[in-house]
Amino acid sequence: MRVFARSLAKKTVLLSDGTVVGILHNITADLRTGMLLNIIVKPAKNTNIPELEKQDGFYVIPFETVKSISDYVVVDKKLLKKY
Amino acid sequence: MISEISSIIGLRVYTDEGRYVGKVEDLVIDMEKKIITGIAMIEYNRTLIDKKSGVIIPYRLVKSVGDIVIVKDVFKKKKEKEEEKRAKISF
């Protein structure tokens, strides 16, 4: 499935168990090869998810763990533990 | 070069031969392959691209991204082919 990058902005990010992580802020990529690396999520209020890595107040989640993107961005919690 | 993809939006695109192609409006992402597959462009050079709207160039043409985006010049070949065709017809 192909999507426009802009259409992903401000989508809600959920874990596969239903926990709200926050709002999609940006995506990092290797711009030379085009490989997508991480999604950067602005945390929702009162969230504390120990599995996730936090950098400068944003969650950095490997793109490999993203299960699907449609109305919400869903991150696989099982895959998350491997990273 | 690892960077946020929003940093590429708005950059001007040139070919490796120094010709202006257009401005980056959006990126096309392949969710299964987890790669960027294309660049959607606005304000594109109409002498290179003869299309009214909706121009997407494949990301594999991208050579480097910095203050501008440099892509492989594939437009020249198209134009030359057309000229060749015209030349053949005129003969």
Side-chain angles (χ1 to χ4, degrees):
Chain A
M1 192 187 67
R2 289 180 179 187
V3 290
F4 280 113
R6 266 183 206 261
S7 71
L8 302 178
K10 288 172 185 164
K11 277 204 158 89
T12 305
V13 180
L14 303 174
L15 292 186
S16 48
D17 65 353
T19 320
V20 177
V21 182
I23 288 166
L24 189 62
H25 181 75
N26 216 331
I27 299 173
T28 58
D30 183 339
L31 291 182
R32 207 178 56 79
T33 59
M35 285 284 283
L36 298 168
L37 301 170
N38 296 300
I39 56 169
I40 302 191
V41 183
K42 194 180 180 191
K45 278 177 192 171
N46 310 319
T47 49
N48 186 26
I49 303 161
E51 289 98 330
L52 297 177
E53 187 195 341
K54 221 173 189 180
Q55 276 177 22
D56 303 326
F58 289 95
Y59 286 125
V60 179
I61 303 169
F63 208 91
E64 290 291 315
T65 64
V66 175
K67 236 166 119 181
S68 67
I69 293 182
S70 56
D71 291 338
Y72 296 98
V73 179
V74 181
V75 175
D76 196 316
K77 208 177 178 181
K78 280 178 196 161
L79 286 173
L80 209 56
K81 284 172 187 164
K82 288 178 191 167
Y83 285 90
Chain B
M1 191 188 71
I2 292 159
S3 183
E4 293 180 346
I5 58 171
S6 63
S7 69
I8 193 175
I9 289 169
L11 295 185
R12 281 172 301 161
V13 182
Y14 286 86
T15 68
D16 54 3
E17 308 236 325
R19 283 195 284 192
Y20 175 74
V21 184
K23 207 169 158 188
V24 182
E25 167 71 4
D26 210 338
L27 293 173
V28 184
I29 291 172
D30 188 315
M31 287 308 301
E32 277 86 36
K33 291 180 187 158
K34 303 185 196 301
I35 54 165
I36 303 168
T37 58
I39 297 178
M41 285 197 310
I42 50 164
E43 296 170 22
Y44 50 88
N45 186 348
R46 277 160 213 275
T47 59
L48 292 186
I49 302 162
D50 187 27
K51 236 181 168 186
K52 274 183 185 154
S53 64
V55 174
I56 293 172
I57 57 168
Y59 203 81
R60 62 187 154 79
L61 298 179
V62 173
K63 283 191 154 181
S64 51
V65 180
D67 292 336
I68 59 164
V69 182
I70 295 177
V71 295
K72 204 176 159 209
D73 199 318
V74 291
F75 307 102
K76 188 179 78 183
K77 284 173 191 164
K78 267 185 198 168
K79 217 177 177 184
E80 275 176 1
K81 269 182 197 167
E82 276 171 25
E83 273 165 17
E84 269 172 30
K85 265 186 196 169
R86 261 184 231 142
K88 274 178 192 168
I89 291 164
S90 62
F91 278 120

